């Protein structure tokens, strides 16, 4: 009876696992990604246990910091070790780690001696400036609106070689601002002064901003979060 009972429990547990896998619509592993797309998988980053997005700066010898250095190395296969490259970091929905990835990827580029610019391209919900204790009085929105010039919106950070342009005051027409000639000019000016430009964009599934920006970038880094990102 005991053996039979144990066998029944194992069968039930196995059935539970199968049912869970069937109804679970979240990305769980690299294998899930490989099954759904042919887009190259360029790296995995562990859980950030710090109460800050500046993990590479605060804990440069941590496993997370090493993961971003590995990510930088893997990206070299696509850049051919060339500078003057524009990256866009995006994802499908909010909360998947776009800003965290942008900040730490930019930090490892900067620490390698490359002059790097982060652009907070989410003009609807500008927040990235808070991580660097900077302000949002001017930024991408004021430049694209013709209120500010390029040099007026660039802010330095405490990290050598790393600079920031925040989203700026929330405009009534963020998508339309990205379609103006001033955005193309923005890219040109940024590449004149920086080795790498990294855009932190809004989620692709929610607004069109990232699609507009994508035609100006060399590479898109799409972020997925384990047990959070929808497989759809």
């Amino acid at each position: 009876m005991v053996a039979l009972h144990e066998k029944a429990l194992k069968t039930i547990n196995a059935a539970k696992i199968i049912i869970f896998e069937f109804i679970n619509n979240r990305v769980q592993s690299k294998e899930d990604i490989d099954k759904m797309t042919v887009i190259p998988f360029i790296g995995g980053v562990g859980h950030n246990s710090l109460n800050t997005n500046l993990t590479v700066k605060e804990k440069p010898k941590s496993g997370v910091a090493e993961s971003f250095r590995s990510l930088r190395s893997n990206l070299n296969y696509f850049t051919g070790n060339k500078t003057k490259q524009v990256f866009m970091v995006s994802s499908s929905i909010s909360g998947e780690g776009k800003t965290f990835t942008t900040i730490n990827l930019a930090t490892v580029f900067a620490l390698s001696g490359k002059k790097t610019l982060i652009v907070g391209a989410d003009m609807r919900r500008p927040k990235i400036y808070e991580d660097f204790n900077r302000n949002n009085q001017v930024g991408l929105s004021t430049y694209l609106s013709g209120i500010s010039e390029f040099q007026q919106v660039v802010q330095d950070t405490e990290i050598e070689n790393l600079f920031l342009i925040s989203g700026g005051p929330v405009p009534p027409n963020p998508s339309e601002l990205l379609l103006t000639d001033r955005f193309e000019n923005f890219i040109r000016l940024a590449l004149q002064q920086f080795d790498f430009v990294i855009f932190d964009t809004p989620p692709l599934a929610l607004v069109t901003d990232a699609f507009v920006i994508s035609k100006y970038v060399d590479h898109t880094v799409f972020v997925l979060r384990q047990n959070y990102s929808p497989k759809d």
Side-chain angles (χ1 to χ4, degrees):
M1 290 293 292
V2 173
L4 181 61
H5 180 64
E6 289 179 350
K7 185 176 181 181
L9 283 176
K10 289 180 180 179
T11 302
I12 292 171
N13 289 334
K16 286 180 179 178
I17 293 171
I18 293 171
I19 292 170
F20 175 78
E21 289 297 325
F22 181 76
I23 65 175
N24 182 26
N25 195 37
R26 307 293 178 183
V27 173
Q28 298 294 325
S29 64
K30 176 181 179 295
E31 286 69 29
D32 285 340
I33 300 169
D34 290 338
K35 289 176 184 176
M36 293 182 287
T37 180
V38 296
I39 297 171
F41 181 90
I42 57 172
V45 177
H47 174 69
N48 177 32
S49 59
L50 299 179
N51 189 29
T52 175
N53 281 330
L54 302 174
T55 306
V56 171
K57 175 181 179 291
E58 300 295 336
K59 295 286 184 179
K61 295 183 180 180
S62 66
V64 171
E66 287 300 325
S67 296
F68 278 104
R69 292 188 185 96
S70 177
L71 188 62
R72 179 187 62 198
S73 297
N74 290 339
L75 284 172
N76 285 337
Y77 288 103
F78 299 94
T79 65
N81 287 316
K82 293 185 294 186
T83 57
K84 303 300 178 181
Q85 301 280 301
V86 182
F87 295 90
M88 180 180 85
V89 178
S90 193
S91 72
S92 57
I93 59 176
S94 297
E96 291 174 292
K98 292 181 297 298
T99 299
F100 174 71
T101 300
T102 299
I103 289 173
N104 288 288
L105 180 59
T107 300
V108 294
F109 276 131
L111 293 177
S112 69
K114 304 301 182 183
K115 195 175 180 183
T116 306
L117 175 67
I118 293 175
V119 182
D122 190 344
M123 291 183 282
R124 290 174 172 82
R125 297 177 61 191
K127 292 194 302 182
I128 197 168
Y129 66 94
E130 296 174 351
D131 291 289
F132 296 97
N133 294 316
R134 294 301 184 260
N135 67 72
N136 193 49
Q137 295 172 359
V138 296
L140 184 61
S141 66
T142 59
Y143 173 81
L144 296 180
S145 301
I147 298 170
S148 307
E149 294 305 316
F150 187 82
Q151 286 305 129
Q152 294 175 310
V153 300
V154 178
Q155 302 184 65
D156 62 2
T157 72
E158 294 180 358
I159 301 170
E160 187 178 2
N161 294 319
L162 184 60
F163 298 81
L164 169 71
I165 294 178
S166 69
V170 179
N173 56 340
S175 294
E176 286 73 19
L177 286 178
L178 293 170
L179 294 170
T180 64
D181 292 340
R182 281 187 71 87
F183 184 66
E184 189 168 349
N185 193 52
F186 177 89
I187 299 288
R188 182 180 61 81
L189 291 171
L191 288 175
Q192 285 177 0
Q193 300 181 38
F194 297 94
D195 296 312
F196 294 109
V197 180
I198 304 180
F199 282 89
D200 179 36
T201 70
L204 282 163
L206 302 181
V207 293
T208 61
D209 297 14
F211 287 105
V212 176
I213 294 170
S214 66
K215 71 176 185 177
Y216 295 101
V217 308
D218 299 297
H219 309 281
T220 297
V221 177
F222 194 81
V223 180
L224 295 163
R225 181 176 173 185
Q226 185 183 35
N227 203 32
Y228 185 89
S229 299
K231 290 181 180 178
D232 294 345

